[in-house]
Amino acid sequence: QVQLVESGGGLVQPGGSLRLSCSVSRSIFGFYVMSWYRQAPGKQRELVATITNGDTRNYADSVKGRFTISRDNGKNTLYLQMNNLRPEETAVYYCNVRDTMGNYWGQGTQVTVSS
């Protein structure tokens, strides 16, 4: 079983920055795609960013130019650097990884953007 633990969430003012981390319990070399999702209160979970094992990155249109997804294979960790945050981006942010055996989720970390 794969365990994912997100961290780095918190309260930030509009225009501020946060870096989320997702620590994975085993080597991440085998995951062909790793992603960040978010879910705001009363809304569906949405895809924020993905990165493949070939290092191809894709972003939701709303975060392009402000968010950066990255992975550190040596540390088995996925990151999401978020800059210029907006109040409407208040949500629980989830890490997701996929391999041929399954689709795995973390428990989420709360990000609150408010003055």
Side-chain angles (χ1 to χ4, degrees):
Q1 183 71 330
V2 179
Q3 307 294 327
L4 287 72
V5 179
E6 298 100 333
S7 61
L11 174 64
V12 63
Q13 292 187 340
S17 298
L18 284 175
R19 188 176 81 153
L20 305 183
S21 299
C22 174
S23 179
V24 185
S25 61
R26 65 168 175 85
S27 172
I28 64 175
F29 279 106
F31 298 115
Y32 56 85
V33 62
M34 304 180 73
S35 305
W36 286 98
Y37 288 75
R38 64 188 178 193
Q39 187 166 18
K43 295 188 176 181
Q44 289 189 330
R45 192 171 296 189
E46 64 172 350
L47 179 63
V48 176
T50 65
I51 184 168
T52 70
N53 54 6
D55 222 28
T56 298
R57 308 174 195 204
N58 287 288
Y59 298 93
D61 286 344
S62 61
V63 307
K64 284 180 181 176
R66 299 185 298 118
F67 288 16
T68 302
I69 189 171
S70 62
R71 57 193 287 172
D72 186 329
N73 293 334
K75 294 183 178 180
N76 296 331
T77 302
L78 177 71
Y79 300 101
L80 184 68
Q81 177 67 44
M82 306 186 294
N83 298 328
N84 194 17
L85 282 159
R86 303 166 179 170
E88 58 266 32
E89 294 177 315
T90 293
V92 178
Y93 284 70
Y94 297 91
C95 173
N96 171 267
V97 300
R98 301 180 189 180
D99 63 11
T100 56
M101 299 298 291
N103 183 22
Y104 308 99
W105 292 90
Q107 83 291 344
T109 185
Q110 176 70 46
V111 172
T112 302
V113 186
S114 175
S115 55

